[in-house]
Amino acid sequence: MKGIDVAAIKRDFPILKIKVNGRPFVYLDSAATSQKPLQVIEAIDKYYNEYNANIHRGVYQIAERATEAYIDSKRKVGALIGTRAIEEVIYVRNTTEGINLVAMTWGDQNIKKGDHILISEMEHHSNIVPWQILAKKKGAVIDYIKLDRQRCELSYESLEKELAKSPKIVAVTQVSNVLGSINDVKKITKMAKKGGAAVLVDGAQSVPHMPVDVNAIGCDFLAFSGHKMLAPTGIGVLYGKRELLDNMEPLFGGGDMIKTVDFQSFTTNDLPWKFEAGTSNIEGGIVFGTAIDYLNRIGMARIRDHEVKLTRYALDAIEGVRGIKVYGCPKSEPEKRGGVISFSINKVHPHDVASIFDRNGIAIRAGHHCAMPLVTGVLGQGAVSRVSFYIYNDERDVDRAVEAIGDVKRVFRVA
Ligand SMILES: Cc1ncc(COP(=O)(O)O)c(C=O)c1O
């Protein structure tokens, strides 16, 4: 597969031209949020300069243009994940809101006292806490698929064992934001469906980085965030199978989600609008389409290929350094992980590691990465450092990270 032209891509991202502490800026925190290309920034400008109006309601020209652009963006989002039906594409604020929406509607209607909800040990808080809130309210039980420590993926033995309890829903991440592990969500869905469970996939770290097809996976719900894939913050997606969405009550009441209202009652609007009450994030929704155009021009398969190569390069460089512990799959298996590498440097606090990276002009993450049960409970760490890659990163960025690790070791006298 032909590689991607990272130098040309870098030129599209104005922020990558700045200097931090006198050094050219290197951004290695795309798992938290991605940077935005000029095309996206200009599309925001264009919307406000040329056709800012509320959607669905106006009969004047710019309102119709805004409505069409918003709907067109949903078509692009749907096509990206393998559905032609915009009825199945609900715009929410982010992954977190998408998962909460499922827990508060589908969960509220389908989970009863004593029911089991199955998630995994490697979930982000966004795919733990909504289920804990629901379980507390309903008197349900949350079970966890264990991590296979050797293989750094979910244990199928543990999955089998937990599925024997007949959970009503299985909710798992496709890619871990800490370990980078890629879970075989197609296989997990197939196993879960045998027992009749609904399946939700957290696609926050997968949809921006690789081809994802909801039909191939067979899941009922998929949630992901625009801001991790070149779009602005405040726009995300909940995909849901139509037959499930049809039977779910709306979460919020108000404008746009209704067809009719009288003094006593209302009837709901068609999908997906039933779940989009009030004025939407119109700017974010429209510009999400521009972000997807940008990613499609590169191609999701090529993006994935680029990240596998870069991750291999980085693992080769980092794992060999004395005093460093890398979490997740070993370097011989970069195909099994996304472009995320968490690590510790002997006896140095991860926040100090991140500060020294910053001194070197490099942005990385340090902390529990909103996955405390995994980082603290399973890995036994208070915090870890993390580098994560995207389309605008190259080997030179990794070399800069390795130099910064050398700086950390020098400052803290790590042997
Ligand atoms: C695996 C995973 N799930 C969910 C989220 C939550 O995403 P958001 O904050 O955009 O809702 C994140 C964010 O980092 C994540 O990595």
Side-chain angles (χ1 to χ4, degrees), residues 31-32 94-97 124 126 173 175 177 202 204-205 225 227-228:
N94 44 40
T95 308
T96 306
E97 187 173 297
H124 187 280
S126 297
T173 191
V175 176
N177 64 315
D202 173 349
Q205 298 295 347
S225 301
H227 70 91
K228 292 185 197 285

Side-chain angles (χ1 to χ4, degrees), residues 96-327:
T96 306
E97 187 173 297
I99 297 171
N100 274 277
L101 195 156
V102 175
M104 292 164 92
T105 56
W106 184 93
D108 195 54
Q109 290 167 237
N110 292 281
I111 301 285
K112 303 183 303 296
K113 191 173 174 18
D115 279 348
H116 288 256
I117 296 165
L118 182 56
I119 59 176
S120 89
E121 284 185 339
M122 66 164 81
E123 300 310 315
H124 187 280
H125 297 164
S126 297
N127 197 27
I128 300 175
V129 183
W131 304 115
Q132 290 179 338
I133 294 170
L134 178 68
K136 191 170 169 194
K137 184 173 164 196
K138 297 283 182 161
V141 181
I142 301 184
D143 303 309
Y144 289 84
I145 309 166
K146 288 206 173 317
L147 185 70
D148 180 333
R149 296 295 293 273
Q150 302 301 317
R151 300 172 60 196
C152 69
E153 59 187 17
L154 294 180
S155 153
Y156 291 103
E157 214 173 281
S158 167
L159 174 61
E160 288 273 19
K161 202 169 127 212
E162 298 304 334
L163 285 176
K165 298 175 190 162
S166 301
K168 284 275 162 61
I169 189 161
V170 178
V172 286
T173 191
Q174 188 166 10
V175 176
S176 161
N177 64 315
V178 176
L179 301 171
S181 317
I182 300 177
N183 293 318
D184 186 344
V185 285
K186 185 176 173 184
K187 180 170 170 178
I188 294 170
T189 301
K190 202 168 164 202
M191 289 168 73
K193 290 263 160 208
K194 264 192 207 153
V199 176
L200 177 142
V201 173
D202 173 349
Q205 298 295 347
S206 58
V207 177
H209 299 277
M210 58 189 66
V212 173
D213 184 332
V214 286
N215 295 308
I217 297 169
C219 57
D220 298 294
F221 301 106
L222 172 76
F224 54 101
S225 301
H227 70 91
K228 292 185 197 285
M229 49 194 297
L230 313 183
T233 48
I235 188 76
V237 175
L238 173 68
Y239 155 84
K241 268 193 191 146
R242 195 181 180 143
E243 54 269 34
L244 276 87
L245 295 177
D246 271 337
N247 289 319
M248 281 157 56
E249 296 295 331
L251 178 58
F252 297 116
D256 268 359
M257 51 68 67
I258 51 87
K259 209 167 241 170
T260 61
V261 185
D262 62 29
F263 284 113
Q264 302 303 329
S265 60
F266 67 93
T267 56
T268 53
N269 203 346
D270 298 330
L271 289 171
W273 319 116
K274 179 171 102 173
F275 293 104
E276 294 187 26
T279 300
S280 311
N281 177 357
I282 304 169
E283 165 211 315
I286 290 174
V287 174
F288 201 174
T290 314
I292 289 172
D293 287 341
Y294 191 97
L295 294 172
N296 280 337
R297 272 196 298 275
I298 303 171
M300 295 312 296
R302 282 171 77 209
I303 292 172
R304 171 72 189 132
D305 185 58
H306 170 69
E307 290 186 16
V308 170
K309 286 180 183 145
L310 197 56
T311 304
R312 176 178 291 120
Y313 182 84
L315 286 171
D316 281 347
I318 298 172
E319 277 196 344
V321 180
R322 267 197 29 206
I324 292 220
K325 177 167 173 46
V326 172
Y327 302 94

Side-chain angles (χ1 to χ4, degrees), residues 356-408:
I356 291 189
F357 268 67
D358 182 50
R359 201 171 80 168
N360 283 269
I362 307 170
I364 67 163
R365 247 307 153 90
H368 52 62
H369 307 285
C370 295
M372 283 175 87
L374 171 64
V375 172
T376 308
V378 180
L379 303 181
Q381 302 293 316
V384 293
S385 306
R386 179 185 76 187
V387 294
S388 54
F389 309 126
Y390 208 16
I391 47 175
Y392 35 68
N393 294 119
D394 60 12
E395 278 96 346
R396 178 69 198 117
D397 296 339
V398 174
D399 295 343
R400 288 273 307 276
V402 174
E403 280 169 32
I405 288 172
D407 199 17
V408 174

